[in-house]
Amino acid sequence: MATLLHIDSSVLPGAASASRTVTDAFRTAWQEQHPEGEVVYRDLAAEPVPHITAEAHTAGFAAPDAHSPEQAAAFAARVRLIEEVENADAILIGAPMYNFSIPSTLKAWLDQVVLIGRTAMAEDSKIKGTPVTVVASRGGSYAPGTPRAGYEYVQNYLEAVLGDMLGLEVDFIVPELTMAPNNPTMTELVPLFEASRDKALQDASTKAKDVARRLAA
């Protein structure tokens, strides 16, 4: 039985969020393809994980029997998040762009699960090669060749952390121009937004089914 770890980080609820709409399409297709599978869900907007503290950070570089009570408590919470990643056969992350970067709640989660010698830079890492699909929605367009291409820090950052540091198999779905329907200055871009939205939903469904079939093989 395969397990999907589903992480959402948008501050907007339900259909008001472009990233949640697409992650929901992925999850629905996953469950249809793999009804016996398990989904572990974390809504980082509704229930943020703590920002990493000195105790949680330093505990990662000390033997457990040397931990202070504060280090032990902080590290135990960190390990619970890490184990969710280690036990996942596939990961789904909603990562909307806020001010050119990812939500602070998602950054806090990453800081907790990136542990040198266990999940990162570890030859015996349990998570290496795990497929992760990132829904990187954004209000405008930051694609190569666009005026704001140089401000694209979401995909570049997450590719570095998830792919290079954690060794995950990263794939991006990018719904863009999501502000077009609500911004009068972007009215002419609404057809491009709609095309991007429809492609993202289709890509999410296709990717979910592909990953589920691969894990079931």
Side-chain angles (χ1 to χ4, degrees), residues 17-27 135 173 175 197 200-201 204:
S17 164
S19 64
R20 288 180 186 272
T21 300
V22 178
T23 59
D24 184 64
F26 183 107
R27 177 173 172 169
V135 178
I173 297 173
R197 176 200 59 199
L201 291 170

Side-chain angles (χ1 to χ4, degrees), residues 127-206:
I127 70 173
K128 189 177 294 184
T130 300
V132 54
T133 302
V134 179
V135 178
S137 59
R138 59 277 315 274
S141 179
Y142 301 81
T146 62
R148 289 196 168 185
Y151 293 96
E152 207 306 298
Y153 301 116
V154 172
Q155 287 178 261
N156 291 337
Y157 171 71
L158 291 177
E159 181 64 52
V161 175
L162 299 173
D164 296 343
M165 287 192 72
L166 299 183
L168 303 176
E169 180 187 300
V170 188
D171 187 47
F172 289 96
I173 297 173
V174 185
E176 60 179 14
L177 301 168
T178 62
M179 291 180 62
N182 302 308
N183 186 338
T185 67
M186 298 175 68
T187 299
E188 64 182 24
L189 299 175
V190 168
L192 292 177
F193 152 72
E194 292 173 341
S196 177
R197 176 200 59 199
D198 294 347
K199 183 178 185 303
L201 291 170
Q202 182 58 53
D203 287 349
S205 179
T206 300

Side-chain angles (χ1 to χ4, degrees), residues 9-56:
S9 61
S10 172
V11 298
L12 298 176
S17 164
S19 64
R20 288 180 186 272
T21 300
V22 178
T23 59
D24 184 64
F26 183 107
R27 177 173 172 169
T28 298
W30 165 278
Q31 292 176 311
E32 289 174 352
Q33 186 71 29
H34 200 59
E36 72 278 12
E38 179 182 3
V39 176
V40 175
Y41 182 59
R42 277 196 174 273
D43 186 337
L44 298 178
E47 297 183 27
V49 302
H51 286 282
I52 197 161
T53 61
E55 290 76 18

Side-chain angles (χ1 to χ4, degrees), residues 52-102:
I52 197 161
T53 61
E55 290 76 18
H57 175 70
T58 56
F61 298 95
D65 58 5
H67 287 174
S68 68
E70 294 78 14
Q71 284 179 313
F75 194 65
R78 195 175 176 188
V79 167
R80 284 194 290 273
L81 296 173
I82 289 171
E83 288 177 341
E84 286 183 350
V85 178
E86 291 178 333
N87 293 331
D89 298 289
I91 302 171
L92 171 66
I93 299 175
M97 178 186 282
Y98 292 161
N99 301 315
F100 307 128
S101 188
I102 62 174

